[in-house]
Amino acid sequence: MAELQEVQITEDKTLLQDPLKAAELAARILLEQEQKHSIETPCGVAQVTIHGTPKPKRPAIVTFHDVGLNHKTCFETLFNYEDMYEIVKNFVVCHIDAPGQEEGAVAFPAGYQYPSLDQLAEMITCVLQYLNFGSIIGIGVGAGAYVLARYTLNHPDSVEGLVLVNIDPNAKGWMDWAAHKLTGLTSSPSEMILAHLFSSEEISNNTETVRQYKESLANSNILGNHQLYFNSYNNRRDLNIERGGDVTLKCPVMLVVGDQAPHEDAVVECNAKLDPTQTSFLKMADSGGQPQITQPSKLTEAFKYFVQGMGYMASSCMTRLSRSRTASLSSAASGEGNRSRSRTMSQSSESGQFPPGQSQTMEVSC
């Protein structure tokens, strides 16, 4: 009989020793396994991209993009950020592209009647029914933020929380309408869309992000489709929300805007109209007009605290960003302004969530 050889087997537990890396790997796999659906609605075909699978007793994360963008160009940077994987693995993610805005879309024929933003909001109802999603956490930017807010006003019981970036809840006034018409006489459609997306300073400095999106619009074969969506945004109705009134957003809301964004004043006004016990206001320094693209790390951290405040991911470990920020804040002790800022920020970082029942106004900078 041949002599048996003793073989020593060493078990590799590298991933198990780092729960965050294991979560990132699992979420990456889910993100790569996307499902696409073309859903017929009364106002056109909605292209929907799903990442992950529905989780029992957890809402779906539903996104809606801004004008001139699609779900990839608007949200890919944010959802591909490494710390976002820790969140994504806990929810199914559903990206909705407005009709004619998705990758590979065909240009609409001349005279095509594009749906209003109110109609796009009702399109979400068809999507959720088709996918059998009971409740959602919405993340919207610009026009997409308005669409999700309008949907929430119409269907409050199906929305558990909202993250609204660059939202303008007001209809355009006569002065705004006249200014827009005059600008249209001297500017191309792509220039007007860029002015909506980015701050004048970003455009003047021709930042890398601006150059990238300027080139994308210049080479787009569906610029007319983008213009139709933009026209619907500019013809939006007033949301008529009022603090303490009958028309208001009753779910937890996180408002986000860059400190140089063209929509800063509108978001500040929206914050004044919402219930302060349900609203967090995040003004991000040095983020320009698209904070989800230029500052994904800060927005990811804020979003994690937001969902933890809603009662999800309570046992989630702190991100690297949270640990470093908490450490730096605990060492800051000079000046009353610094002491006040440290108390506000470390309260959020140490608890892992926004304190319930308090409106949070946070200015985040590097």
Side-chain angles (χ1 to χ4, degrees):
M1 173 182 271
E3 184 177 351
L4 295 176
Q5 298 293 322
E6 182 177 349
V7 179
Q8 185 175 4
I9 300 176
T10 302
E11 185 178 1
D12 186 359
K13 294 185 178 180
T14 304
L15 288 177
L16 296 179
Q17 292 172 354
D18 190 337
L20 182 56
K21 286 188 177 298
E24 289 177 1
L25 178 60
R28 282 181 189 274
I29 294 173
L30 289 176
L31 282 175
E32 292 170 359
Q33 296 176 342
E34 66 179 26
Q35 304 172 39
K36 290 187 176 293
H37 302 269
S38 297
I39 303 174
E40 292 280 354
T41 75
C43 58
V45 177
Q47 299 294 334
V48 177
T49 305
I50 306 293
H51 294 283
T53 56
K55 306 297 188 292
K57 299 181 180 179
R58 292 209 170 185
I61 294 175
V62 173
T63 73
F64 213 107
H65 60 89
D66 204 353
V67 301
L69 307 173
N70 55 48
H71 84 270
K72 281 194 172 182
T73 54
C74 191
F75 294 108
E76 191 171 55
T77 301
L78 176 64
F79 280 86
N80 281 348
Y81 185 71
E82 58 181 347
D83 288 339
M84 192 67 167
Y85 294 129
E86 182 186 351
I87 301 172
V88 170
K89 71 182 182 69
N90 293 278
F91 301 90
V92 61
V93 179
C94 170
H95 299 293
I96 301 176
D97 283 310
Q101 312 299 309
E102 71 278 1
E103 278 189 331
V106 177
F108 290 125
Y112 180 83
Q113 184 65 43
Y114 200 79
S116 67
L117 294 196
D118 287 8
Q119 290 173 316
L120 292 179
E122 286 310 304
M123 185 181 75
I124 296 177
T125 307
C126 301
V127 170
L128 300 187
Q129 289 176 348
Y130 179 90
L131 297 171
N132 198 27
F133 290 163
S135 63
I136 69 169
I137 296 173
I139 305 178
V141 180
Y146 178 100
V147 169
L148 282 168
R150 173 65 72 186
Y151 171 80
T152 304
L153 291 174
N154 295 340
H155 307 277
D157 293 339
S158 65
V159 182
E160 296 192 26
L162 285 176
V163 177
L164 304 176
V165 183
N166 296 337
I167 186 171
D168 188 341
N170 304 316
K172 277 187 175 294
W174 283 106
M175 294 295 291
D176 294 326
W177 181 85
H180 178 75
K181 288 295 182 182
L182 289 174
T183 303
L185 297 176
T186 58
S187 302
S188 66
S190 59
E191 289 174 331
M192 295 176 67
I193 291 174
L194 282 173
H196 165 81
L197 295 174
F198 300 102
S199 68
S200 57
E201 183 176 346
E202 288 175 289
I203 295 174
S204 176
N205 292 336
N206 199 25
T207 64
E208 181 179 352
T209 303
V210 169
R211 289 197 302 272
Q212 176 185 348
Y213 284 84
K214 185 185 297 183
E215 182 179 353
S216 175
L217 287 171
N219 296 328
S220 175
N221 62 347
I222 56 167
L223 183 58
N225 294 10
H226 296 322
Q227 182 66 36
L228 290 173
Y229 185 21
F230 194 27
N231 290 343
S232 290
Y233 174 71
N234 288 320
N235 291 322
R236 65 191 179 276
R237 294 192 303 137
D238 199 308
L239 287 178
N240 289 319
I241 54 177
E242 183 180 353
R243 178 175 293 183
D246 294 333
V247 180
T248 189
L249 299 173
K250 299 178 182 179
C251 65
V253 178
M254 182 167 72
L255 300 175
V256 182
V257 70
D259 65 346
Q260 301 170 4
H263 312 285
E264 180 182 0
D265 291 342
V267 179
V268 170
E269 182 178 351
C270 184
N271 182 55
K273 293 181 175 183
L274 295 177
D275 182 352
T277 66
Q278 291 281 71
T279 308
S280 304
F281 179 33
L282 180 64
K283 184 190 289 187
M284 302 178 66
D286 305 320
S287 67
Q290 299 294 310
Q292 82 283 1
I293 296 173
T294 58
Q295 298 283 358
S297 61
K298 297 181 179 68
L299 187 53
T300 295
E301 185 187 19
F303 181 59
K304 191 181 83 167
Y305 294 151
F306 181 69
V307 296
Q308 285 179 330
M310 295 169 59
Y312 299 109
M313 298 176 57
S315 60
S316 176
C317 58
M318 292 175 65
T319 62
R320 290 179 290 275
L321 178 63
S322 304
R323 291 195 293 268
S324 63
R325 179 169 293 167
T326 302
S328 65
L329 287 171
S330 63
S331 63
S334 60
E336 180 61 32
N338 287 341
R339 288 195 296 270
S340 175
R341 180 182 175 85
S342 297
R343 283 195 297 271
T344 302
M345 293 297 294
S346 62
Q347 184 182 35
S348 296
S349 296
E350 291 165 5
S351 66
Q353 63 185 50
F354 292 125
Q358 296 184 22
S359 175
Q360 294 294 310
T361 302
M362 304 167 58
E363 291 199 23
V364 179
S365 59
C366 296

Short mmCIF file of all heavy atoms in Angstrom, two decimals, residues 42-91:
data_model
loop_
_atom_site.label_atom_id
_atom_site.label_comp_id
_atom_site.label_asym_id
_atom_site.label_seq_id
_atom_site.Cartn_x
_atom_site.Cartn_y
_atom_site.Cartn_z
N PRO A 42 -48.67 55.12 -19.55
CA PRO A 42 -49.50 56.01 -20.35
C PRO A 42 -48.74 57.17 -20.98
O PRO A 42 -49.22 57.77 -21.95
CB PRO A 42 -50.54 56.52 -19.34
CG PRO A 42 -50.62 55.43 -18.32
CD PRO A 42 -49.23 54.89 -18.20
N CYS A 43 -47.56 57.52 -20.44
CA CYS A 43 -46.82 58.65 -21.00
C CYS A 43 -45.51 58.23 -21.66
O CYS A 43 -44.58 59.01 -21.77
CB CYS A 43 -46.55 59.70 -19.92
SG CYS A 43 -45.63 59.12 -18.49
N GLY A 44 -45.45 56.97 -22.10
CA GLY A 44 -44.27 56.52 -22.81
C GLY A 44 -43.62 55.31 -22.15
O GLY A 44 -44.08 54.84 -21.10
N VAL A 45 -42.56 54.84 -22.76
CA VAL A 45 -41.84 53.67 -22.25
C VAL A 45 -40.78 54.13 -21.26
O VAL A 45 -39.94 54.98 -21.56
CB VAL A 45 -41.18 52.87 -23.39
CG1 VAL A 45 -40.39 51.70 -22.83
CG2 VAL A 45 -42.23 52.38 -24.37
N ALA A 46 -40.83 53.56 -20.06
CA ALA A 46 -39.82 53.84 -19.03
C ALA A 46 -38.76 52.75 -19.07
O ALA A 46 -39.08 51.57 -18.97
CB ALA A 46 -40.47 53.91 -17.65
N GLN A 47 -37.52 53.16 -19.25
CA GLN A 47 -36.41 52.21 -19.18
C GLN A 47 -35.93 52.15 -17.74
O GLN A 47 -35.57 53.17 -17.15
CB GLN A 47 -35.28 52.66 -20.11
CG GLN A 47 -35.67 52.73 -21.58
CD GLN A 47 -36.00 51.37 -22.16
OE1 GLN A 47 -35.51 50.35 -21.69
NE2 GLN A 47 -36.83 51.35 -23.19
N VAL A 48 -35.93 50.96 -17.17
CA VAL A 48 -35.62 50.77 -15.75
C VAL A 48 -34.46 49.79 -15.62
O VAL A 48 -34.44 48.75 -16.28
CB VAL A 48 -36.85 50.25 -14.99
CG1 VAL A 48 -36.51 49.99 -13.53
CG2 VAL A 48 -38.00 51.25 -15.10
N THR A 49 -33.51 50.13 -14.77
CA THR A 49 -32.36 49.26 -14.51
C THR A 49 -32.36 48.87 -13.04
O THR A 49 -32.40 49.76 -12.16
CB THR A 49 -31.04 49.96 -14.86
OG1 THR A 49 -31.09 50.40 -16.22
CG2 THR A 49 -29.85 49.03 -14.67
N ILE A 50 -32.33 47.57 -12.77
CA ILE A 50 -32.40 47.05 -11.40
C ILE A 50 -31.05 46.45 -11.01
O ILE A 50 -30.45 45.71 -11.78
CB ILE A 50 -33.49 45.96 -11.26
CG1 ILE A 50 -34.84 46.49 -11.75
CG2 ILE A 50 -33.58 45.47 -9.82
CD1 ILE A 50 -35.42 47.57 -10.90
N HIS A 51 -30.59 46.78 -9.82
CA HIS A 51 -29.39 46.16 -9.24
C HIS A 51 -29.79 45.50 -7.92
O HIS A 51 -30.41 46.14 -7.06
CB HIS A 51 -28.30 47.20 -8.98
CG HIS A 51 -27.74 47.80 -10.22
ND1 HIS A 51 -26.85 47.16 -11.04
CD2 HIS A 51 -27.96 49.01 -10.80
CE1 HIS A 51 -26.54 47.94 -12.06
NE2 HIS A 51 -27.20 49.06 -11.94
N GLY A 52 -29.44 44.24 -7.76
CA GLY A 52 -29.77 43.53 -6.54
C GLY A 52 -31.16 42.92 -6.60
O GLY A 52 -31.85 42.95 -7.63
N THR A 53 -31.57 42.36 -5.48
CA THR A 53 -32.89 41.74 -5.37
C THR A 53 -33.64 42.37 -4.21
O THR A 53 -33.03 42.84 -3.25
CB THR A 53 -32.76 40.22 -5.13
OG1 THR A 53 -31.96 40.00 -3.94
CG2 THR A 53 -32.10 39.53 -6.30
N PRO A 54 -34.98 42.41 -4.28
CA PRO A 54 -35.76 43.00 -3.18
C PRO A 54 -35.46 42.32 -1.85
O PRO A 54 -35.32 41.09 -1.78
CB PRO A 54 -37.21 42.76 -3.61
CG PRO A 54 -37.14 42.65 -5.10
CD PRO A 54 -35.83 41.98 -5.39
N LYS A 55 -35.34 43.13 -0.80
CA LYS A 55 -35.07 42.62 0.54
C LYS A 55 -36.36 42.65 1.36
O LYS A 55 -37.12 43.63 1.30
CB LYS A 55 -34.00 43.48 1.23
CG LYS A 55 -32.71 43.64 0.43
CD LYS A 55 -32.00 42.33 0.21
CE LYS A 55 -30.63 42.52 -0.42
NZ LYS A 55 -30.68 43.02 -1.80
N PRO A 56 -36.65 41.58 2.11
CA PRO A 56 -37.88 41.55 2.90
C PRO A 56 -37.96 42.73 3.87
O PRO A 56 -36.99 43.06 4.55
CB PRO A 56 -37.77 40.22 3.66
CG PRO A 56 -36.82 39.39 2.85
CD PRO A 56 -35.85 40.35 2.25
N LYS A 57 -39.10 43.37 3.90
CA LYS A 57 -39.40 44.46 4.83
C LYS A 57 -38.45 45.65 4.67
O LYS A 57 -38.21 46.40 5.62
CB LYS A 57 -39.36 43.97 6.29
CG LYS A 57 -40.39 42.88 6.58
CD LYS A 57 -40.34 42.45 8.04
CE LYS A 57 -41.37 41.36 8.33
NZ LYS A 57 -41.32 40.90 9.73
N ARG A 58 -37.91 45.81 3.47
CA ARG A 58 -37.05 46.96 3.20
C ARG A 58 -37.50 47.64 1.91
O ARG A 58 -37.89 46.97 0.95
CB ARG A 58 -35.58 46.54 3.07
CG ARG A 58 -35.00 46.07 4.37
CD ARG A 58 -33.51 46.32 4.47
NE ARG A 58 -33.03 46.08 5.82
CZ ARG A 58 -31.81 46.30 6.21
NH1 ARG A 58 -30.92 46.78 5.36
NH2 ARG A 58 -31.44 46.07 7.45
N PRO A 59 -37.45 48.96 1.89
CA PRO A 59 -37.87 49.67 0.67
C PRO A 59 -36.83 49.52 -0.43
O PRO A 59 -35.67 49.16 -0.18
CB PRO A 59 -37.94 51.13 1.14
CG PRO A 59 -36.94 51.21 2.26
CD PRO A 59 -37.00 49.88 2.96
N ALA A 60 -37.25 49.78 -1.65
CA ALA A 60 -36.32 49.87 -2.77
C ALA A 60 -35.78 51.29 -2.84
O ALA A 60 -36.47 52.25 -2.50
CB ALA A 60 -37.04 49.52 -4.07
N ILE A 61 -34.53 51.42 -3.25
CA ILE A 61 -33.97 52.74 -3.54
C ILE A 61 -34.27 53.04 -5.01
O ILE A 61 -33.86 52.30 -5.90
CB ILE A 61 -32.45 52.78 -3.29
CG1 ILE A 61 -32.16 52.59 -1.79
CG2 ILE A 61 -31.85 54.09 -3.78
CD1 ILE A 61 -30.67 52.50 -1.47
N VAL A 62 -35.00 54.11 -5.25
CA VAL A 62 -35.40 54.49 -6.61
C VAL A 62 -34.79 55.84 -6.95
O VAL A 62 -34.92 56.80 -6.18
CB VAL A 62 -36.94 54.56 -6.73
CG1 VAL A 62 -37.34 55.12 -8.10
CG2 VAL A 62 -37.55 53.18 -6.53
N THR A 63 -34.09 55.91 -8.09
CA THR A 63 -33.48 57.16 -8.50
C THR A 63 -34.17 57.73 -9.74
O THR A 63 -34.74 57.00 -10.54
CB THR A 63 -31.98 56.98 -8.83
OG1 THR A 63 -31.85 56.28 -10.09
CG2 THR A 63 -31.26 56.20 -7.73
N PHE A 64 -34.09 59.06 -9.85
CA PHE A 64 -34.60 59.75 -11.04
C PHE A 64 -33.63 60.89 -11.35
O PHE A 64 -33.32 61.70 -10.49
CB PHE A 64 -36.01 60.29 -10.81
CG PHE A 64 -36.87 60.30 -12.04
CD1 PHE A 64 -37.90 59.39 -12.21
CD2 PHE A 64 -36.63 61.21 -13.07
CE1 PHE A 64 -38.69 59.39 -13.35
CE2 PHE A 64 -37.41 61.22 -14.21
CZ PHE A 64 -38.45 60.30 -14.35
N HIS A 65 -33.17 60.95 -12.58
CA HIS A 65 -32.06 61.82 -12.99
C HIS A 65 -32.53 63.21 -13.42
O HIS A 65 -33.72 63.46 -13.65
CB HIS A 65 -31.29 61.17 -14.13
CG HIS A 65 -32.15 60.92 -15.34
ND1 HIS A 65 -32.32 61.85 -16.34
CD2 HIS A 65 -32.91 59.85 -15.70
CE1 HIS A 65 -33.15 61.37 -17.27
NE2 HIS A 65 -33.53 60.16 -16.90
N ASP A 66 -31.56 64.09 -13.61
CA ASP A 66 -31.81 65.46 -14.04
C ASP A 66 -31.83 65.55 -15.57
O ASP A 66 -31.54 64.58 -16.27
CB ASP A 66 -30.72 66.38 -13.47
CG ASP A 66 -31.17 67.83 -13.36
OD1 ASP A 66 -32.27 68.16 -13.84
OD2 ASP A 66 -30.41 68.65 -12.80
N VAL A 67 -32.13 66.74 -16.08
CA VAL A 67 -32.16 66.96 -17.53
C VAL A 67 -30.75 66.88 -18.10
O VAL A 67 -29.76 67.17 -17.42
CB VAL A 67 -32.80 68.32 -17.88
CG1 VAL A 67 -34.22 68.41 -17.36
CG2 VAL A 67 -31.96 69.47 -17.33
N GLY A 68 -30.65 66.46 -19.36
CA GLY A 68 -29.36 66.35 -20.01
C GLY A 68 -28.55 65.14 -19.58
O GLY A 68 -27.44 64.93 -20.06
N LEU A 69 -29.12 64.33 -18.69
CA LEU A 69 -28.42 63.18 -18.15
C LEU A 69 -29.29 61.94 -18.29
O LEU A 69 -30.46 62.02 -18.67
CB LEU A 69 -28.08 63.40 -16.67
CG LEU A 69 -27.34 64.68 -16.30
CD1 LEU A 69 -27.24 64.81 -14.77
CD2 LEU A 69 -25.96 64.71 -16.92
N ASN A 70 -28.71 60.78 -17.98
CA ASN A 70 -29.47 59.56 -17.79
C ASN A 70 -29.04 58.95 -16.47
O ASN A 70 -28.26 59.56 -15.73
CB ASN A 70 -29.27 58.59 -18.96
CG ASN A 70 -27.81 58.26 -19.21
OD1 ASN A 70 -27.07 57.94 -18.28
ND2 ASN A 70 -27.37 58.35 -20.45
N HIS A 71 -29.55 57.77 -16.13
CA HIS A 71 -29.25 57.26 -14.79
C HIS A 71 -27.76 56.99 -14.61
O HIS A 71 -27.23 57.13 -13.51
CB HIS A 71 -30.07 55.99 -14.52
CG HIS A 71 -29.48 54.73 -15.04
ND1 HIS A 71 -29.74 54.23 -16.31
CD2 HIS A 71 -28.61 53.84 -14.48
CE1 HIS A 71 -29.08 53.10 -16.50
NE2 HIS A 71 -28.40 52.83 -15.40
N LYS A 72 -27.05 56.65 -15.70
CA LYS A 72 -25.62 56.39 -15.57
C LYS A 72 -24.83 57.67 -15.37
O LYS A 72 -24.01 57.78 -14.45
CB LYS A 72 -25.11 55.63 -16.79
CG LYS A 72 -25.41 54.14 -16.77
CD LYS A 72 -24.60 53.40 -17.83
CE LYS A 72 -24.76 51.90 -17.67
NZ LYS A 72 -23.94 51.15 -18.66
N THR A 73 -25.04 58.65 -16.24
CA THR A 73 -24.26 59.88 -16.14
C THR A 73 -24.60 60.68 -14.89
O THR A 73 -23.79 61.48 -14.42
CB THR A 73 -24.48 60.75 -17.39
OG1 THR A 73 -25.89 60.96 -17.58
CG2 THR A 73 -23.91 60.08 -18.62
N CYS A 74 -25.79 60.46 -14.34
CA CYS A 74 -26.20 61.19 -13.13
C CYS A 74 -25.77 60.49 -11.85
O CYS A 74 -25.34 61.13 -10.90
CB CYS A 74 -27.72 61.38 -13.14
SG CYS A 74 -28.34 62.51 -11.89
N PHE A 75 -25.85 59.16 -11.82
CA PHE A 75 -25.68 58.43 -10.54
C PHE A 75 -24.54 57.42 -10.52
O PHE A 75 -24.24 56.88 -9.45
CB PHE A 75 -26.99 57.71 -10.20
CG PHE A 75 -28.13 58.61 -9.89
CD1 PHE A 75 -29.19 58.75 -10.78
CD2 PHE A 75 -28.16 59.35 -8.71
CE1 PHE A 75 -30.26 59.59 -10.49
CE2 PHE A 75 -29.22 60.20 -8.42
CZ PHE A 75 -30.26 60.32 -9.31
N GLU A 76 -23.92 57.13 -11.65
CA GLU A 76 -22.91 56.07 -11.66
C GLU A 76 -21.74 56.37 -10.72
O GLU A 76 -21.27 55.49 -10.00
CB GLU A 76 -22.39 55.85 -13.08
CG GLU A 76 -21.54 54.60 -13.23
CD GLU A 76 -21.24 54.28 -14.67
OE1 GLU A 76 -20.71 55.18 -15.38
OE2 GLU A 76 -21.53 53.15 -15.11
N THR A 77 -21.27 57.62 -10.70
CA THR A 77 -20.16 57.98 -9.82
C THR A 77 -20.51 57.74 -8.36
O THR A 77 -19.70 57.20 -7.59
CB THR A 77 -19.78 59.46 -10.03
OG1 THR A 77 -19.41 59.67 -11.39
CG2 THR A 77 -18.60 59.84 -9.13
N LEU A 78 -21.72 58.10 -7.97
CA LEU A 78 -22.15 57.92 -6.59
C LEU A 78 -22.28 56.45 -6.23
O LEU A 78 -21.74 55.99 -5.21
CB LEU A 78 -23.49 58.63 -6.36
CG LEU A 78 -24.13 58.46 -4.98
CD1 LEU A 78 -23.26 59.07 -3.89
CD2 LEU A 78 -25.53 59.08 -4.96
N PHE A 79 -22.97 55.67 -7.06
CA PHE A 79 -23.24 54.28 -6.71
C PHE A 79 -22.03 53.37 -6.93
O PHE A 79 -22.01 52.25 -6.41
CB PHE A 79 -24.46 53.76 -7.48
CG PHE A 79 -25.76 54.19 -6.87
CD1 PHE A 79 -26.33 55.41 -7.20
CD2 PHE A 79 -26.41 53.40 -5.94
CE1 PHE A 79 -27.52 55.83 -6.63
CE2 PHE A 79 -27.61 53.79 -5.36
CZ PHE A 79 -28.16 55.01 -5.71
N ASN A 80 -21.02 53.85 -7.65
CA ASN A 80 -19.79 53.08 -7.80
C ASN A 80 -18.75 53.46 -6.76
O ASN A 80 -17.68 52.85 -6.72
CB ASN A 80 -19.19 53.28 -9.19
CG ASN A 80 -19.89 52.44 -10.24
OD1 ASN A 80 -20.68 51.56 -9.91
ND2 ASN A 80 -19.62 52.71 -11.50
N TYR A 81 -19.06 54.46 -5.92
CA TYR A 81 -18.12 54.83 -4.87
C TYR A 81 -18.02 53.69 -3.86
O TYR A 81 -19.02 53.09 -3.47
CB TYR A 81 -18.59 56.12 -4.18
CG TYR A 81 -17.60 56.62 -3.16
CD1 TYR A 81 -16.39 57.18 -3.56
CD2 TYR A 81 -17.87 56.52 -1.80
CE1 TYR A 81 -15.47 57.63 -2.63
CE2 TYR A 81 -16.95 56.96 -0.87
CZ TYR A 81 -15.75 57.51 -1.29
OH TYR A 81 -14.84 57.94 -0.37
N GLU A 82 -16.79 53.38 -3.44
CA GLU A 82 -16.56 52.15 -2.67
C GLU A 82 -17.39 52.05 -1.40
O GLU A 82 -17.91 50.98 -1.07
CB GLU A 82 -15.07 52.01 -2.34
CG GLU A 82 -14.48 53.17 -1.56
CD GLU A 82 -12.99 52.98 -1.27
OE1 GLU A 82 -12.51 51.84 -1.47
OE2 GLU A 82 -12.34 53.94 -0.86
N ASP A 83 -17.55 53.15 -0.65
CA ASP A 83 -18.32 53.07 0.59
C ASP A 83 -19.82 52.94 0.35
O ASP A 83 -20.57 52.59 1.26
CB ASP A 83 -18.04 54.30 1.47
CG ASP A 83 -16.65 54.25 2.09
OD1 ASP A 83 -16.09 53.14 2.18
OD2 ASP A 83 -16.12 55.30 2.47
N MET A 84 -20.25 53.24 -0.87
CA MET A 84 -21.67 53.09 -1.20
C MET A 84 -22.06 51.62 -1.26
O MET A 84 -23.23 51.28 -1.06
CB MET A 84 -21.98 53.78 -2.53
CG MET A 84 -23.46 53.95 -2.82
SD MET A 84 -24.25 55.11 -1.66
CE MET A 84 -25.84 55.39 -2.46
N TYR A 85 -21.10 50.73 -1.51
CA TYR A 85 -21.41 49.30 -1.59
C TYR A 85 -21.95 48.79 -0.26
O TYR A 85 -22.77 47.87 -0.22
CB TYR A 85 -20.16 48.51 -1.97
CG TYR A 85 -19.66 48.81 -3.36
CD1 TYR A 85 -18.33 49.13 -3.58
CD2 TYR A 85 -20.52 48.76 -4.45
CE1 TYR A 85 -17.87 49.41 -4.85
CE2 TYR A 85 -20.06 49.04 -5.71
CZ TYR A 85 -18.74 49.36 -5.92
OH TYR A 85 -18.29 49.63 -7.18
N GLU A 86 -21.49 49.36 0.83
CA GLU A 86 -21.97 48.96 2.16
C GLU A 86 -23.47 49.19 2.29
O GLU A 86 -24.17 48.45 2.97
CB GLU A 86 -21.21 49.75 3.23
CG GLU A 86 -21.57 49.41 4.65
CD GLU A 86 -20.90 50.34 5.64
OE1 GLU A 86 -20.03 51.12 5.23
OE2 GLU A 86 -21.27 50.28 6.83
N ILE A 87 -23.95 50.24 1.61
CA ILE A 87 -25.38 50.56 1.65
C ILE A 87 -26.15 49.73 0.64
O ILE A 87 -27.20 49.17 0.94
CB ILE A 87 -25.59 52.07 1.38
CG1 ILE A 87 -24.83 52.90 2.42
CG2 ILE A 87 -27.08 52.42 1.38
CD1 ILE A 87 -24.82 54.38 2.12
N VAL A 88 -25.60 49.65 -0.58
CA VAL A 88 -26.32 49.01 -1.69
C VAL A 88 -26.67 47.56 -1.39
O VAL A 88 -27.74 47.07 -1.78
CB VAL A 88 -25.48 49.11 -2.98
CG1 VAL A 88 -26.07 48.26 -4.07
CG2 VAL A 88 -25.39 50.56 -3.43
N LYS A 89 -25.80 46.87 -0.67
CA LYS A 89 -26.06 45.45 -0.41
C LYS A 89 -27.30 45.24 0.45
O LYS A 89 -27.84 44.13 0.51
CB LYS A 89 -24.85 44.80 0.27
CG LYS A 89 -24.63 45.23 1.72
CD LYS A 89 -23.38 44.59 2.30
CE LYS A 89 -23.18 44.98 3.75
NZ LYS A 89 -24.20 44.40 4.64
N ASN A 90 -27.77 46.30 1.13
CA ASN A 90 -28.92 46.19 2.00
C ASN A 90 -30.26 46.49 1.31
O ASN A 90 -31.31 46.33 1.92
CB ASN A 90 -28.76 47.14 3.20
CG ASN A 90 -27.64 46.74 4.12
OD1 ASN A 90 -27.80 45.87 4.97
ND2 ASN A 90 -26.48 47.35 3.95
N PHE A 91 -30.20 46.96 0.06
CA PHE A 91 -31.43 47.36 -0.63
C PHE A 91 -31.36 46.94 -2.10
O PHE A 91 -30.28 46.76 -2.66
CB PHE A 91 -31.60 48.89 -0.59
CG PHE A 91 -31.66 49.47 0.79
CD1 PHE A 91 -30.51 49.88 1.43
CD2 PHE A 91 -32.88 49.60 1.45
CE1 PHE A 91 -30.56 50.44 2.71
CE2 PHE A 91 -32.94 50.14 2.72
CZ PHE A 91 -31.78 50.56 3.36
#
